Amino acid sequence: MRSGPESARALIGRLASVFTELPDPEVASGSGRLGWGDVPAAAGCSSGGPLGRAGHDDTSTTATTTHDRSSHTDTPTTAHDGPLGWPGYDDQLAQATERTGERESVVCGIAEIGRVTAMVVAFEFGFFGGSLGTRTGARIEQAFERARALRLPVVSLVRTGGSRMQEGTPALLQLQRIARQLVLTREAGLPHIAVLRDPTTGGGWATLGAGADVALGLRGAQVGFAGSRVRPPGYSVTQQFAAGLVDQLVPPDELRVRLERWLRLLTPAELEPAAVPAALGCAELPDTGWDAVQRARAPDRPRAAAYLAAYFDWHEPISGDRCGGVDSGVLCGFGQRSGTTIAYAAQCGTATRPAGFRTAARLVRLADRLGIPVLTLVDTPGAANDAAAEKAGVGAAIADMFTAVAAARVPVTTLVIGEGGSGGALAFAAPGRLWVTPNSYLAVISPELAAAILKRDPSRVRDTADQLRLRPQDLVELGIARGVARPRER
């Protein structure tokens, strides 16, 4: 199924078993008229059945006067043709309503999606290209306010060409209004998932899309700040994913299942520390420091992907640092284990790049805000230190991860599963909640570099490894690690 022609209500009907639409905020005020500019506080949700249109009446979509404006904005209003008096705008609105059956470019309401009740903000592209006008902003504001009042996650089904030109700068100001709602919803500890449909451009992308906690992009969609008419050809969701700005690419026919999983993951019922994973691989501890290093560097040693597969019943990844970078050597996401959600950030044995640290820090901060425990898996020879990494701010990126872990209020559990090279490894480690496997080590520096810095003969690398006391059992004896994880008994 293509995402392009699908209307807002058709998409809601495909995703939700029950949908109760919020009353139009202007109608809810009791005036019975549709004015321009801001509106009174949101009313409660209406009652209604599947795909209900509760809250609508027979009021004309043509604005005739202003009423009861709130103090949010000083947007000027007019009696006809919108806030700018754009010639013929009222007639265009009436035509859009007749064509789509909608009175604005978003449909907002409470939906049952899988096992989770969520607030849905769905854009109707047939209504002025899904553009953001002043009344669009009022509806979105009401939806987010109601979501906070009911403690509901928000799902934005974005499909928009940007701000509505016929309403000019007053329409543009709605981006600030929406941004405020995003901030308040984050502060309330509620998740926001955006589905990027075709197209997602302009302010809709720059607020609801790119500003969401998790961004799911429908394959084939145009996603970018500039649309195809402004800068052809339009930027694709695949390019945004490659740049670290979209978490997942989703075929349209898989959207319901993926959305149900994400809503379950991001609305946990309780907070308990993540259990320490069982070790994979050999159970015997290394005899010497050099043995520990060689084991950790062995190419056939179990890596992060194997640990995640063994640990979780199922999991969903996030991708990218939201700054234009992706590090394939760091896996981040959320998983379910025995009905409990746990966030994970796992190094894969490569030198961690700036984007990897930033993505992991984003993961930790999101989990902390949502009250989800975190599991980190340490496995890196160290932070990338080439010219490209330095130019990309590797030092600042490492600091970002250190501070994210240090500031976390949720429990963070760490298991060192391979190499633990210096600060690049330690940035992923939880103070006081660190375990090690028999195949791991953790050191201030690699034995080879330590010998070189100390101007020792290369033949003394093995002795240097012992002196660094980097073996798993050494780390426990030094009080750095709580214990050694063992393989699960069969």
Side-chain angles (χ1 to χ4, degrees):
M1 179 184 296
R2 291 178 56 84
S3 61
E6 195 170 25
S7 70
R9 290 186 188 274
L11 180 57
I12 294 171
R14 186 158 63 85
L15 300 178
S17 57
V18 176
F19 177 70
T20 304
E21 187 173 0
L22 294 182
D24 190 278
E26 287 124 330
V27 173
S29 71
S31 70
R33 291 178 173 177
L34 296 176
W36 302 101
D38 267 22
V39 294
C45 65
S46 62
S47 60
L51 298 183
R53 298 175 64 100
H56 283 275
D57 61 12
D58 295 329
T59 305
S60 169
T61 60
T62 302
T64 57
T65 186
T66 60
H67 70 281
D68 191 21
R69 293 168 54 217
S70 78
S71 60
H72 291 308
T73 180
D74 294 326
T75 301
T77 59
T78 61
H80 300 287
D81 292 326
L84 300 186
W86 188 282
Y89 183 41
D90 283 349
D91 291 338
Q92 292 175 335
L93 285 171
Q95 292 168 10
T97 296
E98 182 178 1
R99 183 170 59 252
T100 64
E102 305 297 345
R103 297 196 299 176
E104 249 309 326
S105 59
V106 288
V107 177
C108 303
I110 298 171
E112 299 292 330
I113 301 177
R115 306 178 189 178
V116 178
T117 303
M119 181 65 68
V120 170
V121 175
F123 282 72
E124 175 52 64
F125 194 76
F127 196 102
F128 280 84
S131 58
L132 290 156
T134 53
R135 297 188 306 194
T136 319
R139 287 191 172 194
I140 294 172
E141 181 179 64
Q142 176 186 246
F144 275 85
E145 288 176 343
R146 193 63 183 155
R148 291 195 299 275
L150 297 175
R151 302 294 303 168
L152 299 179
V154 180
V155 176
S156 294
L157 306 173
V158 189
R159 188 175 177 224
T160 173
S163 298
R164 193 169 303 169
M165 292 179 293
Q166 292 88 342
E167 295 188 25
T169 304
L172 184 65
L173 295 181
Q174 302 311 301
L175 303 184
Q176 295 175 327
R177 190 178 193 177
I178 294 169
R180 178 62 177 162
Q181 293 306 310
L182 297 179
V183 169
L184 294 174
T185 302
R186 291 189 193 112
E187 291 176 349
L190 297 170
H192 174 212
I193 302 170
V195 176
L196 312 176
R197 303 155 66 202
D198 184 29
T200 296
T201 61
W205 164 237
T207 53
L208 292 170
D213 296 320
V214 173
L216 307 179
L218 294 190
R219 289 188 179 275
Q222 177 194 166
V223 177
F225 188 64
S228 59
R229 293 190 181 184
V230 178
R231 185 206 56 205
Y235 212 65
S236 76
V237 70
T238 303
Q239 291 168 299
Q240 299 286 8
F241 175 74
L245 301 169
V246 173
D247 288 299
Q248 291 186 357
L249 298 178
V250 181
D253 57 359
E254 293 181 13
L255 179 58
R256 177 170 181 166
V257 173
R258 200 70 63 86
L259 197 54
E260 288 178 357
R261 286 163 67 104
W262 271 111
L263 285 170
R264 285 178 61 189
L265 287 170
L266 299 185
T267 54
E270 58 186 30
L271 173 61
E272 295 290 340
V276 180
L280 302 179
C282 68
E284 297 78 19
L285 292 171
D287 293 328
T288 68
W290 187 245
D291 288 340
V293 172
Q294 291 297 93
R295 278 196 196 180
R297 294 175 179 174
D300 58 348
R301 172 182 55 77
R303 306 282 168 157
Y307 273 89
L308 296 176
Y311 187 78
F312 288 114
D313 300 324
W314 53 272
H315 60 282
E316 291 285 347
I318 65 170
S319 178
D321 63 359
R322 294 297 187 268
C323 300
V326 175
D327 181 0
S328 60
V330 174
L331 303 178
C332 294
F334 295 82
Q336 282 258 320
R337 176 181 169 87
S338 302
T340 300
T341 298
I342 298 168
Y344 63 87
Q347 294 170 313
C348 298
T350 58
T352 302
R353 306 202 66 80
F357 291 111
R358 293 191 179 106
T359 304
R362 176 168 78 93
L363 180 281
V364 172
R365 291 193 178 100
L366 176 57
D368 187 53
R369 181 155 51 79
L370 300 180
I372 297 173
V374 178
L375 171 69
T376 62
L377 301 180
V378 171
D379 186 6
T380 179
N385 57 9
D386 54 28
E390 293 290 359
K391 185 176 181 180
V394 66
I398 295 171
D400 195 32
M401 184 58 176
F402 267 121
T403 55
V405 173
R409 296 158 295 180
V410 297
V412 180
T413 302
T414 299
L415 180 64
V416 185
I417 64 172
E419 289 196 85
S422 194
L426 192 64
F428 274 67
R433 288 192 56 81
L434 183 143
W435 281 261
V436 289
T437 65
N439 289 331
S440 70
Y441 77 85
L442 180 63
V444 65
I445 194 171
S446 73
E448 296 94 335
L449 291 178
I453 292 172
L454 295 172
K455 299 181 180 180
R456 291 180 173 180
D457 188 272
S459 63
R460 296 192 60 192
V461 167
R462 294 171 180 265
D463 295 336
T464 304
D466 286 332
Q467 289 178 307
L468 287 170
R469 298 201 65 191
L470 49 71
R471 298 178 304 167
Q473 58 268 44
D474 294 328
L475 298 171
V476 174
E477 185 178 333
L478 290 169
I480 296 168
R482 283 197 180 187
V484 178
R486 299 293 184 173
R488 183 178 291 110
E489 295 183 3
R490 297 182 180 180

